[in-house]
Amino acid sequence: MDVVVTGASGLIGSALRPGLERAGHRMIPMGRGQASGDALHWDPERGAVDAGGLEGVGAVVNLAGEGIGNKRWNDEQKARIKDSRIRGTTLLAETLAKLDRRPKVLLSASAVGIYGDRGDEVLTESSRAGGGFLAEVCVAWEAAAAPAKEAGIRVSHLRSGIVLSARGGALPKMLTPFKLGLGGRLGSGSQWMSWISIDDEVGAIVHLLGDAAPAGPVNLTAPNPATNADFTKELGHTLRRPAVLPVPKLGLELLLGGEMAQEMLLGGQRVLPTRLLDSGYTFAHPELPDALGAALRPSA
């Protein structure tokens, strides 16, 4: 079927095209550039979207949003992070709801940040939302898709963890200090990191396009989250570099600011992909050593 994808040029969107094609689907990117070929145009800030191009497509995957780690947080950047998600999702959901031939499914991005910093608590899709800026953003982000749900479209919220890929996201930012022999845990290292390989992120999204896939929140994380201390130890082992120099909490707070450091690096979530597993998805990389190895192979 035809699948429209916003954020198609990002890390996940770029990897999604071949995944969709292998499953027999055709990806139609939707971006801010002028419509050309099979690409559709939208501009959430101006409320512009190619509604005609959305008529009759089978599904929409909404991945667009300002990167949370692109810049140090201040009031302006936090507003940009939140508005880019809510405006785009609201525009898309309201547009889809008004179509004569609506898609069957909208897969709309979210994140495990919705749970806030929860220590060692095991979190599933039935867990309540937490506190903090990222949790607030995710709650509003998911709520923005309500018009599509009310119009009878199956809406699944993709609560993604840390996506492991050498081509972008968090992992490349970790590599330089490790390659210099300066890698180590962040702060106490006790905070949980809920991760997923890029192969499984794509595989899960394709899986959730199926008719029997669940609506509502779906955690896109591997079934074996790791503490930061264990994650950094395994990354050092994979790179054959030491992981013995911890980065102090104060240093991270000075670099990023206290709120950003706490929410992105010093806090964490211990998340399990309960609904994804219950729906029959089989992980390609359920264990961290294999996922890091796959991400860091030269061909990855």
Side-chain angles (χ1 to χ4, degrees):
M1 64 180 167
D2 287 346
V3 181
V4 172
V5 179
T6 71
S9 62
L11 172 64
I12 298 169
S14 299
L16 185 56
R17 181 185 287 275
L20 288 171
E21 291 175 349
R22 286 192 296 270
H25 305 304
R26 182 172 75 108
M27 177 169 148
I28 302 173
M30 174 174 274
R32 294 174 184 272
Q34 292 299 314
S36 60
D38 63 353
L40 303 179
H41 170 75
W42 80 328
D43 187 341
E45 292 182 3
R46 298 188 178 188
V49 61
D50 184 355
L54 290 167
E55 283 280 0
V57 302
V60 176
V61 181
N62 177 33
L63 303 174
E66 174 81 9
I68 62 171
N70 285 359
K71 297 179 181 178
R72 184 178 171 127
W73 291 358
N74 55 27
D75 289 345
E76 181 181 356
Q77 181 62 10
K78 287 168 67 177
R80 187 178 296 113
I81 289 168
K82 188 173 183 178
D83 291 348
S84 68
R85 286 160 172 75
I86 296 170
R87 283 184 186 174
T89 302
T90 299
L91 175 62
L92 194 58
E94 290 179 346
T95 301
L96 296 177
K98 296 174 184 176
L99 297 178
D100 293 324
R101 293 175 294 138
R102 304 182 186 108
K104 292 181 179 179
V105 58
L106 167 62
L107 305 183
S108 193
S110 183
V112 297
I114 196 168
Y115 300 114
D117 181 11
R118 303 285 277 275
D120 292 331
E121 181 182 354
V122 176
L123 303 166
T124 69
E125 290 87 351
S126 62
S127 300
R128 62 175 175 80
F133 170 65
L134 293 180
E136 173 190 313
V137 169
C138 290
V139 168
W141 196 5
E142 293 187 5
K149 178 183 177 181
E150 293 165 0
I153 299 169
R154 173 170 64 85
V155 177
S156 299
H157 302 288
L158 310 177
R159 293 181 176 176
S160 296
I162 300 167
V163 180
L164 300 183
S165 169
R167 294 179 175 173
L171 187 57
K173 297 175 182 178
M174 304 178 194
L175 297 182
T176 299
F178 275 89
K179 290 179 178 178
L180 295 173
L182 301 175
R185 60 176 168 79
L186 303 179
S188 71
S190 63
Q191 66 272 33
W192 286 90
M193 299 176 66
S194 294
W195 56 271
I196 186 169
S197 72
I198 187 64
D199 295 334
D200 281 315
E201 178 79 6
V202 168
I205 291 172
V206 174
H207 172 79
L208 291 171
L209 292 173
D211 291 337
V218 183
N219 292 334
L220 266 57
T221 62
N224 296 292
T227 65
N228 175 262
D230 287 340
F231 186 97
T232 52
K233 180 180 179 181
E234 189 57 49
L235 180 57
H237 177 75
T238 300
L239 295 171
R240 298 182 181 180
R241 295 290 191 275
V244 295
L245 294 177
V247 182
K249 175 182 177 182
L250 179 60
L252 293 170
E253 291 175 339
L254 289 173
L255 179 65
L256 300 176
E259 183 183 28
M260 185 176 182
Q262 180 61 39
E263 294 212 24
M264 289 193 62
L265 300 176
L266 297 171
Q269 304 84 24
R270 188 180 185 180
V271 180
L272 299 182
T274 303
R275 301 193 75 200
L276 192 56
L277 290 171
D278 288 348
S279 71
Y281 182 73
T282 300
F283 279 83
H285 307 293
E287 303 287 346
L288 183 58
D290 181 49
L292 287 173
L296 298 174
R297 278 196 295 266
S299 59

